Amino acid sequence: MSSQELPLKGYRIEGDEVVFTFDRRDYDKVTKDNSSVKLDFRDFDIESVVVSGEFNNWSMKQWRMAKINDNIYELRKNITDFSDAFSWEFKYVINNAYWVEPSRDDPNIAKATKYGLRLRGVYNLKMYMAYPDKNGNARFKLKGYEHAKKVIVAGSFNKWNESLFRMHKVNGGWELTLNINPGEYAYRFIVDGQWMEDPHNPNKIENEYGEYNSVIDIKKPITFFLPNHANAHRVILAGSFNNWSENDLKMIKTDEGWYYTIRLSGGKHHYKFIVDGEWLVDPENPVMEYDGDGHINSVYMVR
């Protein structure tokens, strides 16, 4: 199981889980709800710790953490609990009343806002759904620029953050491997402060500045399975991902049924099985929708 490499504060990602970790030794100040007056954290006895953020409407009671020891509290959540946003702001709450304040020096902070206005000297932590991982699914590489001091990759997967994903210098250039939710993303490199497209990626789109953003499509291997039908001669997987072709994706027969693995982009996909010419919805998948022609199709969401 791979884990997040960047020392981002307050959380890490392990496989399909987001692990929120609160260590009281990492914080000095708290503020009372609806007040900006900072209080000394050492004056408080902890009765409870809660994760509060954009993902749970800033609830001060809902996501209660488990106590690991006198200093550390932890909460694990499945990554599917966080929909498709690229980043989320959050904070920790002690005793259901006091916001624990991160430092402006923490690497993943964001200035807190209220009614659209920034709060002076108040910060939230930020959780990114994309993160560096040597076993990740997106490898960025920039050839040359051996004399550059710093190279960053920024894109729509991290809201174009100009400092978060610093690339590693390697023989012949720079590289960084990220783990990113499936989907199509725009990105650029920042070489010593200068923005540029990926010169080795022909897939690009024009941006609002009259320049170009490079584009990467992250796909995920998905296995479709149709149980039984041992007497069938031919089973086809057809869907919106292959223009409903009746011939392309011939499924493989096993003792338990038929399967086919295909790499899909993030988002919603409609599909059906064709068993010896008969179109069938997936009997193992209760999620179905009508298409524009009034047909009912099975639905698979790739996240």
Side-chain angles (χ1 to χ4, degrees):
M1 180 181 294
S2 60
S3 61
Q4 185 171 295
E5 294 176 351
L6 273 182
L8 301 183
K9 190 168 185 174
Y11 81 100
R12 66 184 184 277
I13 296 178
E14 292 184 351
D16 292 330
E17 289 187 318
V18 178
V19 185
F20 293 99
T21 303
F22 171 79
D23 189 334
R24 68 173 301 155
R25 295 168 296 188
D26 292 339
Y27 301 89
D28 298 319
K29 301 293 182 181
V30 298
T31 56
K32 187 73 169 66
D33 193 26
N34 296 322
S35 171
S36 59
V37 178
K38 293 185 178 180
L39 307 173
D40 194 328
F41 189 20
R42 291 171 294 182
D43 295 336
F44 289 86
D45 293 325
I46 296 180
E47 298 175 1
S48 68
V49 182
V50 168
V51 183
S52 177
E54 294 176 313
F55 36 70
N56 63 7
N57 285 325
W58 296 99
S59 170
M60 301 181 76
K61 298 180 179 179
Q62 188 177 5
W63 286 17
R64 184 163 179 162
M65 306 182 76
K67 185 176 182 179
I68 305 301
N69 56 44
D70 288 342
N71 293 307
I72 297 175
Y73 292 73
E74 187 174 280
L75 177 68
R76 290 177 176 265
K77 286 287 185 178
N78 194 286
I79 205 165
T80 58
D81 293 334
F82 298 91
S83 73
D84 298 323
F86 302 129
S87 64
W88 301 89
E89 292 185 22
F90 71 100
K91 248 178 181 173
Y92 291 112
V93 181
I94 61 169
N95 303 343
N96 302 122
Y98 296 92
W99 300 95
V100 184
E101 297 298 337
S103 163
R104 65 179 297 176
D105 297 323
D106 292 330
N108 55 314
I109 61 166
K111 289 186 177 180
T113 61
K114 190 173 184 179
Y115 307 123
L117 300 175
R118 289 184 174 180
L119 300 178
R120 185 175 181 181
V122 181
Y123 300 92
N124 297 328
L125 293 171
K126 182 170 281 193
M127 180 180 72
Y128 296 93
M129 302 312 290
Y131 57 94
D133 185 341
K134 64 181 179 181
N135 298 314
N137 54 10
R139 185 186 181 199
F140 296 90
K141 188 167 185 177
L142 177 62
K143 295 180 180 179
Y145 298 91
E146 291 92 343
H147 299 297
K149 295 180 180 179
K150 182 171 67 172
V151 178
I152 303 291
V153 59
S156 55
F157 44 77
N158 69 349
K159 290 190 175 180
W160 300 96
N161 188 292
E162 300 181 29
S163 60
L164 187 66
F165 294 150
R166 188 165 181 168
M167 301 180 72
H168 306 299
K169 192 170 185 178
V170 296
N171 289 334
W174 302 77
E175 66 179 36
L176 181 67
T177 303
L178 301 177
N179 199 341
I180 304 176
N181 287 343
E184 188 173 276
Y185 302 96
Y187 71 96
R188 301 190 86 191
F189 297 124
I190 311 173
V191 181
D192 289 340
Q194 298 298 312
W195 291 75
M196 61 177 289
E197 65 187 81
D198 185 344
H200 307 292
N201 182 0
N203 190 12
K204 58 186 179 181
I205 56 174
E206 189 172 0
N207 60 30
E208 63 269 33
Y209 304 108
E211 299 175 328
Y212 287 92
N213 296 333
S214 300
V215 177
I216 186 171
D217 188 4
I218 305 298
K219 297 183 177 183
K220 183 177 182 179
I222 303 296
T223 297
F224 292 89
F225 178 72
L226 176 65
N228 304 318
H229 297 277
N231 296 324
H233 297 290
R234 186 170 186 250
V235 178
I236 301 294
L237 171 65
S240 53
F241 40 76
N242 70 340
N243 201 29
W244 297 98
S245 170
E246 301 181 31
N247 299 293
D248 285 350
L249 307 180
K250 298 178 181 179
M251 301 186 74
I252 300 170
K253 187 176 183 180
T254 68
D255 292 338
E256 293 77 24
W258 301 74
Y259 79 93
Y260 193 92
T261 300
I262 183 174
R263 298 185 68 86
L264 296 180
S265 299
K268 180 190 296 184
H269 303 273
H270 283 205
Y271 70 98
K272 276 184 174 175
F273 302 116
I274 311 174
V275 181
D276 290 338
E278 181 182 1
W279 291 72
L280 303 174
V281 294
D282 187 343
E284 301 290 300
N285 182 3
V287 183
M288 293 178 283
E289 284 184 352
Y290 283 98
D291 62 17
D293 297 320
H295 303 122
I296 296 179
N297 301 318
S298 297
V299 175
Y300 196 100
M301 287 293 299
V302 178
R303 298 183 183 274

